Amino acid sequence: MESEALIMSDFNWCHGSECHTKHTVDRVRGVKGSKVLRTRKVPINRWNENTVWRFFCSQSCLMDFITHHCAEFIEERYPRTEALETPIKDPEKRNHSTEYGYSWTTTHLEVDETRQID
Ligand SMILES: [Zn+2]
């Protein structure tokens, strides 16, 4: 039916490449004699709808995905052939001291808004 195609899914299957191999009771599905460990559903809600967490059920699934797909994704889609730079003003050393005689130096870094940022 055409109208069904317009209905947005309210979940994603977890994109973790190993999700269906992890031994947790909540992944067990199927009838007796033919049980399986199944990829988790990730419900889409207002906390994850605009984040990477709408695709992954856990941090380990995110890391599995990155481990398996990071190289192809970066090399093919988002290659970085040169370093990026943020223009800054000349760093300024600042001396600080307490009335108890303790002193230290910090280096103040500030973005130079007057120079072009790519
Ligand atoms: Zn998962």
Side-chain angles (χ1 to χ4, degrees):
M1 285 197 300
E2 202 172 279
S3 60
E4 279 185 35
L6 296 173
I7 298 169
M8 296 265 290
S9 174
D10 60 352
F11 72 91
N12 285 315
W13 293 108
C14 175
H15 281 56
S17 14
E18 309 297 324
C19 192
H20 65 292
T21 69
K22 301 196 189 290
H23 291 195
T24 65
V25 173
D26 70 297
R27 288 178 169 92
V28 175
R29 292 291 185 276
V31 296
K32 201 169 181 181
S34 58
K35 295 283 187 183
V36 295
L37 293 170
R38 182 180 292 166
T39 300
R40 277 177 173 160
K41 276 185 180 179
V42 181
I44 300 171
N45 55 47
R46 64 192 173 109
W47 293 284
N48 68 11
E49 64 184 347
N50 295 315
T51 76
V52 70
W53 299 112
R54 70 187 183 277
F55 300 116
F56 300 99
C57 74
S58 66
Q59 192 148 4
S60 68
C61 280
L62 171 59
M63 289 309 297
D64 287 343
F65 180 87
I66 290 172
T67 301
H68 281 78
H69 301 293
C70 187
E72 69 182 76
F73 189 69
I74 285 178
E75 287 162 11
E76 292 171 19
R77 299 289 308 278
Y78 297 99
R80 170 147 296 147
T81 55
E82 57 187 22
L84 306 179
E85 295 181 343
T86 301
I88 59 169
K89 296 176 180 169
D90 290 343
E92 181 187 318
K93 283 213 186 305
R94 293 178 179 177
N95 297 314
H96 310 270
S97 60
T98 67
E99 58 185 289
Y100 306 107
Y102 181 67
S103 63
W104 70 98
T105 304
T106 58
T107 304
H108 182 70
L109 301 178
E110 188 176 339
V111 173
D112 186 347
E113 307 285 355
T114 66
R115 288 154 65 201
Q116 184 76 30
I117 299 175
D118 292 332

